[in-house]
Amino acid sequence: MSWIRNIFRQDSGNSDKLLSEIQKKFSVFLDILDTNNQILKIISDLEEKSQGEYLFDINYITKNLKTIREGIRGLIEKLIFIGGEEYLPLKDKFSEIDAGIDAIIGSNRALIKDDFTIPIKELNKERAYSVGSKIAQLGEISSKLGLSVPEGFAITSWAYKHFVDRNNLQEQISKSIHKLDIKNYDDLIRTSDQIQTLIKSSTVPADLGLAIKNSFSDLKNHSPAKGFAVRSSALGEDTIFSFAGQYATFLNVKDSEIIDRYREVLASKFTPKAIYYFLSHSLSEAELAMSVGCMEMINSAISGVLYTLDPVHPEEQCLLINAIYGLGKYLVDGTVTPDVFKVSKQDGSVKETRLAVKSIKLIMNEGGGIKQEPVPESMQGAPSIDQKTIKLLVDTGLDIERHYGCPQDIEWAIDQNNRLFILQTRPLRVIKIKNARSPADVSRLNAIVKGGTTVCPGAGTGMIYHADTPHDLASVPDGAILVTHIPFPGIIMVMNRVHAIVTEQGGSASHMATIAREYRIPTLTGVQGAAGIPAGKEVTVDATGAVIYAGKQEQLVEARQLDYDPADQSAIFELIKKVLTRISTLNLIDATAEDFKPGNCKTFHDITRFVHQKAMEEMFHSCSAMGCKEDIGVKLKTGIPMSINIIYIDRDMGDYSKNKWIEEDHLDSVPMTAFWNGVKKEGWPSTPSVNLSGLISVMSTQMLRTQQNGFLEKSFAILGKEYMLLGLHMGYHFSTVESMCTDDVNKNYIRMQYKDGGAALERRVRRIRVLSEILADMGFSNITEADFLDSSIHYQSCGLIVENLLTIGRLTMMFKQLDMALANDSVAQWYKADFLKRLNLQKNTT
């Protein structure tokens, strides 16, 4: 405020200069109001989305969070411009709150220095920031639930940073990613090759290499395993973002290969499919440090994926067990279609069994790596697991689900000694339908192929395009129906282009299936005969009904459109609710309270509240501190016994130099005219009937006050054609009314603050209660604390703003000195009923 105080110490001859300075500051003030309203609108939308009535994704959160952050930075700078350096501490509070949001959302979190390697047995879910969720959860379920997981160690995200920093890679990587157009397939491949080559040709620092070798040696000495697996565990992986199948895993790794395999996993962060995934989700590559897990290789007799809830039909309350022979790679990459067992969560009974022909399996190769071998013919069509194993998997899966409080996607393996190991657990994306559409009439449609497993329901129409390798994806046209032999994860790179996906092999538990559900692409797997449909043929894929029809069937596509229930986004809803604790909660309420300080801002909403209030006060103080206000402002000429000085901030005050007053009919301010019409309609009130106790209350209250409240000593109106900032000092109480009234409803609002009074506190509180109840009937949102009221309404048409301001003008007169009359609650309610009747608001009461 020092700038304004210095200005107003000047001689009154500088009135033109003073007004120019005020108008400049007020222009910034109007920017603050506009930005504040934009931020509050976004916060309101975030809160509405968090209630579960609308669908959204992480992009919605990050996009709006970015806008809020930029807006609040601007608000702080503008307040400093208006009021001076005393508001600099807001910058530190902003950084503090912003860091808390980053910790929740997992973005921009600075890596904390850590050991290069950490044993899995020492990990839990709280260490996900250091070793990634995939490996952290293994330590969690081992220590908390006593489940068997492979022994091993994590190579931390700090180790990744050390590798990148020592080889000066980050700047080169960031430049390449920044220039990339992910919609250009060739550009994606080229950028991926460049970055992967850069990483693979870089040297693992000697200290990091030694730590890895020592940890590997310890693991090998304590483990009976004949081979080891090296798996990705990037930050962000297996969270609300699955990254399913996007990074590399190496199986049955030998001693001499460990460093090279580690480096290759780091490089897999930049495969074309991985780059597409994190960029399409608006994630920053620099925030996804790659941790790596090195663990025992489980020599699996049987492997599988357990969904603790059917992701397509969650209403059936069943688990889905997917199982194949040998290592699980052929299940998750879709090479082998698994056996599927649907099991009731209620009683453990098997509701459905779908047995597949499992002709091949993967096994560990004695010389290292893995190899394929045929499954004995007698076992190919037989169930891969028995009832005892089903029960074990169900019990284990439900234990894990209860621990995390949400459905889980669990990879498991049973070794040659019939021991169950959990290899991975992550949140399961579940598709819940809010409203079912009318059944589709398909009786007259020509079915080309029937059968398969619904991975993601819905329907899509387009031309058939066959792709058997990632290289075939470069030419996939927009709106195609993609048909492949197996559901390889690289399909993600064209999910923004295709209307449906069909594969001949695979089930609902492959990595591609997980990604398809994330992107909500109608998808069928295990569709025999799909490869025989000619390329270029126009078809409609009914993934819900598991049928492919000839021709373009728009009515079927429309009928199969799904209204998703937001419950299938439980993780994203949990995230937005946590973020909102740092954004929307309002802790700073009463601007006159002792704790209304920058240091007590705990949320972004607190900062906007503080900035808005202090910006308003700066303008108030600037006016009340004027040594030459009579030279700048003009008096309102009125029959109402109130002295109001008016300053216009959108016109030349020199036009009023000859007259020191302005007529009521010439205010030329939409909100002020509306408010003053209400004042005139009600007229100056007579003193309410006051008994002796009320008079004593007023006298004692005033004697106890050591000094007059300095919030506003005189009444001023700062006006523009569409703006009003009115400060009224009426006897012992103070009120401010601020309003914007334009053709843009998004800018329109009224905010009223009411404080103090002449009577005892209990009577002033009654007055505030009556006023807030009447305003609530008018649709205002109110915050009250003792004898303080902050009331506001936003996003109304100009007509409604004018109507409400007229009523507030009347209320201003009605409530003058009313506190002296409110001896008890009955009296207060009588006045409320009387005022509502006079205002013709009775129809809004209950």
Side-chain angles (χ1 to χ4, degrees):
M1 275 192 322
S2 57
W3 70 271
I4 201 76
R5 295 194 185 101
N6 291 333
I7 288 174
F8 296 143
R9 289 193 189 104
Q10 317 238 349
D11 186 86
S12 60
N14 293 324
S15 60
D16 290 341
K17 181 180 178 181
L18 294 178
L19 180 58
S20 176
E21 290 289 341
I22 291 173
Q23 289 175 330
K24 288 178 183 178
K25 300 293 181 179
F26 204 83
S27 177
V28 175
F29 175 61
L30 291 178
D31 286 342
I32 288 176
L33 298 180
D34 195 41
T35 302
N36 182 69
N37 284 338
Q38 292 175 21
I39 292 172
L40 291 180
K41 185 177 180 181
I42 294 173
I43 290 175
S44 177
D45 193 62
L46 287 167
E47 290 177 322
E48 186 177 22
K49 294 293 192 298
S50 73
Q51 299 305 307
E53 295 299 321
Y54 302 93
L55 289 173
F56 60 91
D57 59 14
I58 189 64
N59 296 332
Y60 165 81
I61 297 177
T62 55
K63 177 183 176 182
N64 282 291
L65 185 56
K66 179 181 179 182
T67 303
I68 291 173
R69 283 166 163 160
E70 291 173 351
I72 292 179
R73 287 191 188 100
L75 286 179
I76 294 171
E77 293 296 339
K78 289 179 175 70
L79 181 60
I80 293 170
F81 180 75
I82 288 178
E85 294 185 356
E86 66 182 274
Y87 297 114
L88 281 172
L90 280 173
K91 289 187 174 184
D92 293 334
K93 289 306 298 186
F94 170 81
S95 298
E96 179 184 322
I97 296 167
D98 201 38
I101 293 174
D102 283 338
I104 293 170
I105 207 167
S107 61
N108 297 322
R109 180 169 183 166
L111 294 178
I112 299 173
K113 187 174 182 180
D114 209 339
D115 294 334
F116 289 146
T117 64
I118 304 173
I120 289 176
K121 63 184 178 182
E122 296 179 11
L123 297 173
N124 55 40
K125 64 183 180 181
E126 280 74 31
R127 298 301 300 274
Y129 68 88
S130 181
V131 300
S133 183
K134 182 187 291 185
I135 302 301
Q137 304 311 334
L138 291 181
E140 174 77 9
I141 62 176
S142 174
S143 62
K144 302 291 179 60
L145 300 180
L147 299 177
S148 296
V149 302
E151 288 190 29
F153 62 92
I155 308 173
T156 62
S157 56
W158 183 254
Y160 171 81
K161 183 179 187 303
H162 183 56
F163 173 86
V164 169
D165 289 349
R166 186 63 65 88
N167 289 284
N168 298 311
L169 300 178
Q170 189 59 61
E171 185 176 355
Q172 300 176 69
I173 292 171
S174 297
K175 284 182 178 179
S176 296
I177 295 295
H178 182 70
K179 294 185 295 183
L180 172 64
D181 177 8
I182 62 170
K183 295 180 180 179
N184 185 319
Y185 184 85
D186 291 336
D187 194 18
L188 188 59
I189 297 298
R190 181 170 52 255
T191 300
S192 172
D193 287 344
Q194 289 173 351
I195 298 176
Q196 289 195 76
T197 299
L198 182 66
I199 292 174
K200 290 176 182 178
S201 62
S202 297
T203 302
V204 174
D207 52 352
L208 173 56
L210 181 62
I212 294 172
K213 290 177 180 178
N214 288 341
S215 293
F216 186 82
S217 178
D218 289 343
L219 174 61
K220 186 177 178 182
N221 291 337
H222 293 89
S223 171
K226 297 181 179 179
F228 300 88
V230 179
R231 308 183 66 189
S232 68
S233 185
L235 302 193
E237 187 179 0
D238 284 357
T239 58
I240 60 172
F241 308 107
S242 69
F243 282 89
Q246 303 308 299
Y247 300 138
T249 290
F250 295 97
L251 304 178
N252 201 16
V253 174
K254 301 302 180 184
D255 307 37
S256 59
E257 302 173 306
I258 185 67
I259 297 297
D260 288 339
R261 293 293 182 251
Y262 168 68
R263 190 163 35 208
E264 289 181 66
V265 172
L266 300 190
S268 75
K269 177 183 170 182
F270 301 99
T271 61
K273 60 187 179 181
I275 293 174
Y276 182 91
Y277 187 94
F278 66 68
L279 289 181
S280 67
H281 283 85
S282 299
L283 300 173
S284 169
E285 169 276 322
E287 299 164 9
L288 304 172
M290 178 64 79
S291 174
V292 176
C294 183
M295 61 194 70
E296 294 175 319
M297 182 77 190
I298 304 302
N299 189 13
S300 308
I302 306 164
S303 299
V305 171
L306 167 63
Y307 292 156
T308 62
L309 195 64
D310 184 339
V312 180
H313 299 289
E315 73 283 355
E316 296 179 1
Q317 288 295 298
C318 288
L319 303 91
L320 286 186
I321 301 172
N322 300 264
I324 63 171
Y325 298 122
L327 303 177
K329 183 178 184 299
Y330 271 179
L331 189 157
V332 296
D333 69 12
T335 301
V336 172
T337 301
D339 292 337
V340 179
F341 305 89
K342 179 177 283 191
V343 184
S344 169
K345 295 182 78 169
Q346 184 174 4
D347 58 17
S349 62
V350 179
K351 298 296 185 182
E352 182 183 348
T353 299
R354 298 197 300 271
L355 300 181
V357 176
K358 306 167 289 295
S359 58
I360 55 174
K361 65 178 179 179
L362 277 179
I363 63 171
M364 294 173 61
N365 191 357
E366 289 186 7
I370 53 179
K371 66 178 182 179
Q372 177 181 300
E373 73 172 22
V375 173
E377 190 171 346
S378 61
M379 296 174 60
Q380 291 181 9
S384 48
I385 55 176
D386 57 21
Q387 186 61 46
K388 182 179 179 181
T389 303
I390 289 174
K391 185 178 186 309
L392 175 62
L393 287 168
V394 168
D395 292 344
T396 302
L398 292 179
D399 283 346
I400 297 175
E401 182 184 79
R402 279 190 292 270
H403 179 71
Y404 289 104
C406 64
Q408 294 289 298
D409 172 353
I410 302 165
E411 291 185 22
W412 54 271
I414 295 176
D415 71 3
Q416 303 296 326
N417 296 315
N418 209 33
R419 294 179 301 173
L420 172 64
F421 288 85
I422 302 301
L423 307 181
Q424 182 175 330
T425 188
R426 62 184 169 209
L428 174 67
R429 179 174 289 270
V430 175
I431 296 175
K432 292 186 178 181
I433 309 305
K434 185 177 180 182
N435 296 309
R437 301 285 177 106
S438 300
D441 182 8
V442 297
S443 60
R444 298 184 180 182
L445 302 185
N446 178 21
I448 301 174
V449 177
K450 295 183 179 181
T453 298
T454 300
V455 165
C456 185
T461 185
M463 303 290 186
I464 292 288
Y465 183 90
H466 294 280
D468 293 321
T469 69
H471 297 290
D472 297 329
L473 299 176
S475 303
V476 173
D478 289 340
I481 301 299
L482 182 64
V483 177
T484 71
H485 179 63
I486 63 171
F488 52 92
I491 292 172
I492 185 180
M493 293 184 290
V494 295
M495 282 187 178
N496 65 322
R497 284 188 259 162
V498 301
H499 285 173
I501 299 170
V502 180
T503 71
E504 284 205 307
Q505 298 293 326
S508 64
S510 68
H511 287 149
M512 188 281 294
T514 299
I515 299 297
R517 284 191 290 271
E518 285 187 33
Y519 282 78
R520 294 195 173 124
I521 305 297
T523 302
L524 283 173
T525 58
V527 182
Q528 299 302 310
I533 304 175
K537 183 178 178 63
E538 189 172 46
V539 302
T540 297
V541 175
D542 180 5
T544 302
V547 182
I548 301 175
Y549 295 101
K552 188 176 185 178
Q553 309 299 336
E554 291 286 5
Q555 290 184 341
L556 176 59
V557 173
E558 173 65 23
R560 294 303 196 207
Q561 283 186 358
L562 304 176
D563 294 325
Y564 288 96
D565 189 325
D568 80 327
Q569 292 189 305
S570 57
I572 200 77
F573 276 102
E574 185 65 25
L575 178 66
I576 195 173
K577 288 177 180 177
K578 289 181 179 179
V579 169
L580 282 171
T581 62
R582 300 299 184 98
I583 292 179
S584 67
T585 304
L586 185 61
N587 303 287
L588 298 186
I589 298 174
D590 184 355
T592 65
E594 180 67 24
D595 63 354
F596 197 85
K597 299 175 181 178
N600 292 320
C601 290
K602 299 177 182 178
T603 66
F604 282 165
H605 198 172
D606 284 339
I607 293 179
T608 63
R609 169 79 175 95
F610 183 87
V611 171
H612 182 277
Q613 178 66 33
K614 290 302 178 182
M616 185 171 65
E617 289 181 16
E618 291 294 342
M619 298 310 300
F620 285 166
H621 288 309
S622 70
C623 292
S624 61
M626 285 185 192
C628 53
K629 51 184 175 291
E630 289 78 10
D631 292 332
I632 296 178
V634 292
K635 295 287 186 183
L636 177 63
K637 187 175 183 179
T638 174
I640 303 293
M642 294 175 64
S643 176
I644 299 180
N645 210 58
I646 294 175
I647 297 174
Y648 288 99
I649 44 76
D650 58 356
R651 66 200 70 175
D652 186 356
M653 290 298 295
D655 295 342
Y656 301 92
S657 60
K658 294 181 180 179
N659 297 316
K660 294 300 181 180
W661 47 264
I662 187 169
E663 298 279 359
E664 293 171 316
D665 295 338
H666 297 152
L667 284 168
D668 197 24
S669 170
V670 176
M672 181 64 181
T673 298
F675 176 87
W676 200 252
N677 283 341
V679 170
K680 291 192 297 180
K681 182 173 182 178
E682 193 61 33
W684 189 255
S686 59
T687 302
S689 177
V690 182
N691 57 22
L692 180 61
S693 63
L695 182 59
I696 295 173
S697 168
V698 174
M699 296 172 62
S700 61
T701 298
Q702 293 312 304
M703 286 188 293
L704 287 171
R705 289 178 175 165
T706 57
Q707 61 181 14
Q708 183 67 36
N709 189 321
F711 178 69
L712 192 63
E713 294 179 358
K714 294 188 178 181
S715 298
F716 287 91
I718 303 173
L719 305 179
K721 193 170 185 63
E722 301 174 322
Y723 179 78
M724 173 184 75
L725 181 61
L726 176 64
L728 297 177
H729 181 190
M730 300 177 65
Y732 299 121
H733 84 260
F734 309 91
S735 65
T736 65
V737 183
E738 179 187 12
S739 179
M740 185 79 79
C741 187
T742 72
D743 292 332
D744 183 357
V745 296
N746 293 315
K747 292 183 178 180
N748 293 347
Y749 67 95
I750 302 171
R751 184 174 187 181
M752 180 181 184
Q753 292 182 320
Y754 206 94
K755 173 70 176 173
D756 233 332
L761 178 60
E762 63 179 27
R763 296 178 183 238
R764 304 199 307 267
V765 170
R766 289 191 186 101
R767 176 168 62 175
I768 289 296
R769 184 167 64 245
V770 172
L771 179 56
S772 66
E773 289 173 357
I774 291 175
L775 289 169
D777 287 339
M778 295 168 58
F780 280 68
S781 298
N782 300 312
I783 298 172
T784 62
E785 188 170 298
D787 65 347
F788 172 78
L789 168 67
D790 189 337
S791 184
S792 62
I793 195 166
H794 298 264
Y795 313 121
Q796 289 193 310
S797 68
C798 187
L800 287 175
I801 292 289
V802 166
E803 191 177 309
N804 281 324
L805 283 170
L806 187 146
T807 302
I808 290 175
R810 295 186 64 188
L811 288 171
T812 300
M813 295 295 99
M814 291 176 177
F815 277 78
K816 182 180 182 296
Q817 296 182 334
L818 180 66
D819 52 332
M820 293 190 295
L822 303 182
N824 55 57
D825 291 343
S826 296
V827 173
Q829 287 305 305
W830 183 91
Y831 272 103
K832 175 187 173 184
D834 180 59
F835 289 169
L836 288 172
K837 183 178 180 180
R838 289 162 58 186
L839 293 168
N840 197 27
L841 293 174
Q842 288 174 308
K843 61 183 179 181
N844 294 328
T845 63
T846 56

